[in-house]
């Protein structure tokens, strides 16, 4: 006998015999909005007061159980009941409450499941606490209930990293009691029948299974190191570890205080900005209703470091790949390079033997361009020279289908000029990967002037399929990322002339949270590319514009960066050391211009460099190269080591 009940717009109930099945339905991800919380609250009240109800099953509609608290409500006035109150009410129920986890149970969604008296999950379910990725800690009992179920070691790992676990792992660590063998709801109803009338097991009353404290502390130290500069991971792990020493009530109040403090912190605001920025970046004007072309076979021309990385990313995503090089030995070397990366993925456990064999089987290399004829899309990653790329594209024009996509991985050349040299410029786009391309998440999808929306949509969809973060950019020298990076470099060199030293500027930016300071990055990338560009620009450079020639002096002295053993720093045995010769060259350059150096504080260094990036960002927005400021933030965070917990240069400058 089934009776339908409505507890709110997003919460409904059905009586399956004497079990009340409560379904949460707040598309797209069942975020625990105020409306959903109120509906769940009413459902629990109904279950408590209706004698016909012996147990409750809570489940979600769609692909999520509950994706956590509604992040859009953060910073807004609180609406009752709060999530902690709902969670407490679930656990307090005298009638067994079963969580039937149909999909993702994240953050507050996992806390709802932990408060239930039993948990059963669909085999494809995922459970986790991603709060640290939002600069906060779980705030509805997760830091205290999780350790009581899985032990402190598993808890600090899950809560400290924010990484979800699959159903099998969740079952293995005791986070869930069962994985549904048949239909999830039927299995959950059977579980409810088996528990009804029995005393309920409350997670908060459990004692956290023992974990070796030394191992727990080691794990905390490892994760804290990786999360350099971020407050939340350390706090979250401290709370989870405290479950073995503090009472539930003490731990809960500490959790609440910590949650509220971090929720309003600058880091949390920045990470919320990044969360929504990633969602917005997927909404590209003009591509809303454009169907990407289907892609099966993909060609990669140039199998050097970048090409091999791109090829590996494509193979990992399941594409058939044809790698092309100018001659057989180079093609063989390219194949070996790709197989070497796959081998490393196998060794590190990122893929298993079956994956390795499947990907290797999907790989073919050739020195015959005509063998790329069956490709649906070809990406070139040959040397960044216009003549070489144009010749290649013109040959490809004659080989591949006219509707196949041609993509260039150029960093600085003009893809519009390249497209204009081909027979079908409408199918030419830019796909600018970042090295190592099989690791780096960012792909700049370059919307060439003559490219069709379908060509751009196809490139965009491909990048998503590779698990990358595609950001659409218009055409200008350096697109979004390298334009901002050039402004960053320019201001860094102005700071040098004004009185700061490379190591001071680097220290200030590394303290700010950059993965590496600018001068260390310049040395890593090599100084010759920027030098070549400065020489190219010299004839047309504005004589009134401020120009710092220190980098030119370095290059003329053969100091081309890490690979030449000397650049802004010296690299003895690979170790970066300050070189007095550079300090001397800087002093001479200042003297030649009659500049008296002054002491420059870290705050000013950071402010000027962020400011320079943001100013360039504004120019890119004015020129419609970037669609939104948050896209620029994502490019700098995912391609240039800008700390996500600062939100990106545009966000940081706006603060
Ligand atoms: N709140 C509000 N909106 C959300 C949301 C959330 N938790 N999660 C997703 N959305 C929106 C998103 O903005 C987008 O909107 C749409 O849903 C689809 O998302 C007390 C306080 C669940 C794995 O961190 O990781 O619980 O752009 O494109 O790729 O301890 O969304 O369409 O308008 O990402 O299929 C903790 C966040 C919260 C999970 C689905 N939870 N979400 O991925 O879809 S803090 C999270 C995700 C918390 C408690 C604390 C993913 C997903 P729009 P999408 P997807």
């Amino acid at each position: 006998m089934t009776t339908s009940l409505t507890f709110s717009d997003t919460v409904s109930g059905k009586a399956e015999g004497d079990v009340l099945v409560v379904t949460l339905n707040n598309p797209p991800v069942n975020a625990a909005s105020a409306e959903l919380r109120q509906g769940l609250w009413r459902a629990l009240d109904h279950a408590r007061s209706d004698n016909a109800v012996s147990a409750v099953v809570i489940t979600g509609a769609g692909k999520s159980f509950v994706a956590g608290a509604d992040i859009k409500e953060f910073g807004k006035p609180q609406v009752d009941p709060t999530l902690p109150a709902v969670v407490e009410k679930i656990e307090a129920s005298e009638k067994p409450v079963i969580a039937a986890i149909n999909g993702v149970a994240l953050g507050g969604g996992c806390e709802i499941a932990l408060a239930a008296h039993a948990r059963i999950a669909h085999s494809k379910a995922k459970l986790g606490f991603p709060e640290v990725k939002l600069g906060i800690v779980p705030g509805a009992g997760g830091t205290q209930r999780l350790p009581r179920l899985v032990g402190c070691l598993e808890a600090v790992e899950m809560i400290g990293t924010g990484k979800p676990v699959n159903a099998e792992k969740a079952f293995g660590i005791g986070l869930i009691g069962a994985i549904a063998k048949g239909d999830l709801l039927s299995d959950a109803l059977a579980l409810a029948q088996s528990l009804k009338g029995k005393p309920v097991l409350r997670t908060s009353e459990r004692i956290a299974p023992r974990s070796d404290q030394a191992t727990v502390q080691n794990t905390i130290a490892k994760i804290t190191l990786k999360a350099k500069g971020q407050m939340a991971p350390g706090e979250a792990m401290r709370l989870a570890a405290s479950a073995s020493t503090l009472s539930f009530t003490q731990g809960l109040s500490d959790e609440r205080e910590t949650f509220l403090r971090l929720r309003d912190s600058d880091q949390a605001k920045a990470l919320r900005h990044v969360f929504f920025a990633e969602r917005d970046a997927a909404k590209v004007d003009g591509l809303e209703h454009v169907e990407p072309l289907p892609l099966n076979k993909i060609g990669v021309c140039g199998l050097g470091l970048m090409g091999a990385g791109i090829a590996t990313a494509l193979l990992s995503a399941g594409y058939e790949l044809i790698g092309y090089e100018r001659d057989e030995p180079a093609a063989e070397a390219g194949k070996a390079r790709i197989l070497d990366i796959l081998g490393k993925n196998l060794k590190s456990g990122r893929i298993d033997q079956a994956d390795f064999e499947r990907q290797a089987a999907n790989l073919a290399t050739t020195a015959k361009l005509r063998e790329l004829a069956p490709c649906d899309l070809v990406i070139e990653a040959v040397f960044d020279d216009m003549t070489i790329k144009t010749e290649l594209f013109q040959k490809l024009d004659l080989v591949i289908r006219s509707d196949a996509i041609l993509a260039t991985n150029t960093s600085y050349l003009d893809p519009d000029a390249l497209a204009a040299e081909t027979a079908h410029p409408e199918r030419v786009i830019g796909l600018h990967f970042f090295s190592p391309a099989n690791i780096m998440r960012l792909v700049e999808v370059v919307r060439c002037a003559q490219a069709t929306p379908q060509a751009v949509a196809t490139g965009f969809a491909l990048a998503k399929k590779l698990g990358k973060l595609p950001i659409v950019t218009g055409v200008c020298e350096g697109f979004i990322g390298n334009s901002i990076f050039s402004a960053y470099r320019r201001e860094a060199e102005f700071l040098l002339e004004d009185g700061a030293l490379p190591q001071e500027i680097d220290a200030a930016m590394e303290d700010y949270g950059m993965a590496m300071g600018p001068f260390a990055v310049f040395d890593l990338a090599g100084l010759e590319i920027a030098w070549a560009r400065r020489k190219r620009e010299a004839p047309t450079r504005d004589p009134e514009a401020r120009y710092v020639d220190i980098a030119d002096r370095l290059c003329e002295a053969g100091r081309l960066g890490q690979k030449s053993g000397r650049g802004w720093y010296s690299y003895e045995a690979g170790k970066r050391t300050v070189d007095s010769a550079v300090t001397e060259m800087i002093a001479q350059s200042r003297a030649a211009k009659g500049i008296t150096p002054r002491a420059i504080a870290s705050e000013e260094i950071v402010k000027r460099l962020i400011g320079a990036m943001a100013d360039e960002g504004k120019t890119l927005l004015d020129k419609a190269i970037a669609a939104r400021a948050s896209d620029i933030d994502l490019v700098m965070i995912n391609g240039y080591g800008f700390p996500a917990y600062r939100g990106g240069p545009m966000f940081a400058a706006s603060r």
Side-chain angles (χ1 to χ4, degrees):
M1 197 273 300
T2 62
T3 325
S4 289
L5 301 152
T6 303
F7 298 112
S8 73
D9 290 352
T10 56
V11 180
S12 61
K14 235 185 208 162
E16 296 282 354
D18 58 355
V19 178
L20 176 66
V21 177
V22 177
T23 302
L24 311 176
N25 190 6
N26 182 22
V29 295
N30 294 344
S33 63
E35 219 275 335
L36 184 142
R37 298 193 307 270
Q38 288 155 358
L40 191 45
W41 188 272
R42 291 190 203 106
L44 293 162
D45 278 342
H46 174 85
R48 191 189 54 225
S49 58
D50 184 342
N51 294 334
V53 173
S54 314
V56 180
V57 168
I58 301 176
T59 192
K63 61 180 184 168
S64 298
F65 174 69
V66 176
D70 189 334
I71 307 169
K72 292 184 180 121
E73 291 181 357
F74 285 37
K76 296 193 179 128
Q78 180 174 300
V79 179
D80 287 331
T82 62
L83 191 57
V86 172
V87 161
E88 207 174 307
K89 191 176 177 78
I90 291 171
E91 191 178 67
S93 167
E94 293 300 334
K95 298 177 182 178
V97 178
I98 290 91
I101 303 162
N102 55 298
V104 293
L106 301 175
C110 203
E111 288 168 310
I112 287 173
L114 288 174
H117 307 119
R119 287 149 293 280
I120 179 168
H122 184 282
S123 59
K124 293 237 174 350
K126 284 210 168 21
L127 297 90
F129 287 94
E131 281 87 343
V132 290
K133 296 182 180 168
L134 293 167
I136 54 176
V137 297
T143 68
Q144 300 308 307
R145 287 194 174 86
L146 182 66
R148 284 173 167 77
L149 267 185
V150 304
C152 288
L153 184 57
E154 294 290 352
V156 294
E157 177 80 34
M158 277 184 75
I159 288 180
T161 62
K163 286 195 193 119
V165 295
N166 62 24
E168 201 185 329
K169 168 88 181 189
F171 180 70
I173 61 177
L175 177 49
I176 58 174
I179 298 177
K181 296 195 177 37
D183 170 64
L184 173 65
L185 193 53
S186 322
D187 288 11
L189 288 169
L191 179 56
Q193 290 303 333
S194 71
L195 294 176
K196 72 181 186 186
K198 295 191 183 127
V200 296
L201 292 177
R202 295 192 169 93
T203 309
S204 62
E205 293 164 3
R206 292 171 183 244
I207 304 297
R210 275 197 60 69
S211 296
D212 172 57
Q213 283 316 305
T215 318
V216 170
Q217 292 313 320
N218 278 346
T219 303
I220 292 177
K222 242 188 338 193
I223 296 172
T224 307
L225 193 65
K226 253 197 173 159
K228 177 172 135 321
Q230 297 178 57
M231 300 185 293
E235 290 276 29
M237 293 187 287
R238 174 186 65 76
L239 290 162
S242 75
S244 61
T245 50
L246 296 182
S247 72
F248 181 77
T249 314
Q250 290 168 319
L252 205 61
S253 85
D254 185 359
E255 177 195 275
R256 194 70 197 153
E257 182 280 324
T258 309
F259 170 77
L260 294 172
R261 174 166 46 82
L262 290 179
R263 183 194 61 190
D264 303 332
S265 68
D266 284 348
Q267 290 199 0
K269 288 173 186 155
L271 288 165
R272 280 200 292 278
H273 162 73
V274 172
F275 177 84
F276 288 115
E278 291 205 9
R279 273 85 201 157
D280 291 345
K283 299 159 192 158
V284 181
D285 282 355
L287 299 190
E288 293 82 351
H289 310 296
V290 179
E291 196 54 37
L293 286 170
L295 301 176
N296 299 306
K297 235 188 239 306
I298 297 185
V300 175
C301 295
L303 302 176
L305 192 66
M306 185 57 95
I310 296 171
T312 308
L314 290 163
L315 290 167
S316 309
Y319 288 101
E320 283 177 56
L321 188 108
I322 307 178
Y324 165 82
E325 265 290 1
R326 63 190 175 284
D327 57 42
E328 270 316 321
E332 280 311 309
K335 187 169 194 171
R337 202 171 288 121
I338 297 166
L339 289 174
D340 179 53
I341 303 173
L342 293 184
K344 288 196 177 101
N345 288 350
L346 177 63
K347 208 151 160 255
S348 67
R350 256 196 296 266
I351 59 174
D352 60 24
Q353 188 61 35
D355 287 336
F356 176 85
E357 283 159 17
R358 192 179 38 256
Q359 294 176 28
N362 275 343
L363 169 63
T365 55
T366 179
K368 302 186 186 66
L369 202 61
R370 67 176 178 278
E371 290 186 12
L372 295 179
C375 291
D376 305 305
L377 180 145
V378 176
I379 306 175
E380 69 75 19
V382 298
F383 187 66
D384 221 17
D385 172 87
M386 199 52 148
T387 315
I388 294 173
K389 289 186 192 284
T390 304
E391 273 169 22
L392 175 67
F393 266 27
Q394 288 173 338
K395 286 187 191 140
L396 280 166
D397 245 354
L398 307 172
V399 165
I400 64 174
R401 299 189 318 273
S402 61
D403 66 336
I405 305 293
L406 268 182
T408 170
N409 179 60
T410 184
S411 313
Y412 279 102
L413 300 177
D414 178 356
D416 282 345
L418 197 52
E421 297 292 329
T422 68
H424 301 284
E426 73 283 359
R427 47 96 165 269
V428 176
I429 59 170
L431 286 177
H432 181 214
F433 287 79
F434 288 74
S435 189
N438 51 312
I439 308 281
M440 292 294 280
R441 216 172 145 232
L442 179 67
V443 175
E444 286 184 313
V445 178
V446 186
R447 194 197 292 248
C448 295
Q450 298 186 66
T452 61
Q454 189 171 46
V456 179
T458 304
F460 194 92
L462 172 64
K464 282 206 104 167
K465 178 92 188 289
L466 301 185
K468 304 293 186 189
L469 176 67
I471 303 287
V472 172
T473 172
V475 174
C476 68
E477 177 155 359
F479 312 128
I480 296 175
N482 285 334
S483 300
I484 302 276
F485 193 68
S486 300
Y488 179 60
R489 177 196 297 270
R490 216 172 16 252
E491 188 64 27
E493 291 175 358
F494 290 167
L495 281 159
L496 273 188
E497 232 178 30
D498 293 347
L501 290 172
Q503 58 272 27
E504 293 165 346
I505 297 169
D506 282 1
M509 293 314 286
E510 285 165 19
D511 289 351
Y512 179 74
M514 294 294 281
M516 274 174 103
F519 293 94
V521 172
F522 302 154
D523 273 356
L524 185 66
L527 308 185
E528 72 282 7
I529 299 169
W531 189 30
R533 203 176 61 256
R534 288 194 300 276
K535 285 194 272 189
R536 246 196 345 262
E537 291 166 353
T540 56
R541 187 175 301 127
D542 171 2
E544 299 309 309
R546 182 177 180 182
Y547 181 75
V548 179
D549 63 1
I550 302 169
D552 297 343
R553 301 286 85 77
L554 259 65
C555 293
E556 286 150 11
R559 306 182 69 101
L560 300 177
Q562 212 163 328
K563 57 176 165 271
S564 71
R566 302 174 311 146
W568 290 101
Y569 297 94
S570 282
Y571 298 86
E572 274 114 33
K575 193 169 172 311
R576 186 168 78 204
T577 50
V578 172
D579 190 330
S580 56
V582 173
T583 311
E584 183 45 38
M585 289 168 97
I586 295 169
Q588 285 168 2
S589 178
R590 290 174 186 149
K593 286 191 175 181
I595 296 172
T596 309
R598 62 184 176 84
I600 303 180
S602 296
E603 293 71 31
E604 178 185 343
I605 291 172
V606 171
K607 198 158 184 289
R608 281 176 56 176
L609 290 173
I610 306 289
M613 287 194 263
D615 290 347
E616 182 66 22
K618 288 193 199 84
T619 307
L620 294 176
L621 292 169
D622 295 345
K623 291 196 289 186
I625 298 293
R628 290 130 304 241
S630 58
D631 282 2
I632 297 171
D633 288 332
L634 291 176
V635 165
M636 298 318 288
I637 289 168
N638 292 281
Y640 297 80
F642 198 100
Y645 62 84
R646 301 280 188 183
M650 305 306 283
F651 180 84
S654 70
R655 318 283 306 162

